[in-house]
Amino acid sequence: QVQLVESGGGLVQAGGSLRLSCAASGTPSVSMPIIGWYRQAPGKQRELVAGFRNGGSTTYADSVKDRFTISRDNPKNTVDLQMNSLKPEDTAVYYCGAYYTGRTYWGQGTQVTVSS
């Protein structure tokens, strides 16, 4: 059973930074090439923030390019999201999601709140 557990959310002022971490268990994260970070703000659909594609390349939402960086540590089974220059519009619940063996797995989410 694959499990994804997020950590690192919190309250930060605009312009600040946070680092989110997703710990995968049940299978090595290296076995999940398609994995990334998503977010869902109140009243909005869940959207991809940053992710790894099959083959190892990365993709970012236009709204976070040059501010957020996704990275993975396969020996530690973690996928991190470094978020810099945070804006109030980045406020959302952030989820780690992975596509593996024909289905999508989700973590429980971590709240990120950016105050103006």
Side-chain angles (χ1 to χ4, degrees), residues 50-112:
F52 286 96
R53 295 192 186 102
N54 204 357
S57 63
T58 56
T59 184
Y60 293 88
D62 287 343
S63 59
V64 307
K65 281 180 182 176
D66 300 324
R67 298 190 297 122
F68 291 10
T69 303
I70 191 170
S71 61
R72 67 192 304 166
D73 187 329
N74 287 333
K76 292 184 179 180
N77 258 13
T78 57
V79 178
D80 289 357
L81 184 68
Q82 178 66 42
M83 306 186 294
N84 299 326
S85 303
L86 282 161
K87 304 175 180 180
E89 50 264 44
D90 294 318
T91 295
V93 178
Y94 284 69
Y95 298 90
C96 180
Y99 182 78
Y100 179 67
T101 60
R103 60 162 288 186
T104 301
Y105 293 87
W106 297 103
Q108 82 287 351
T110 186
Q111 176 71 45
V112 171

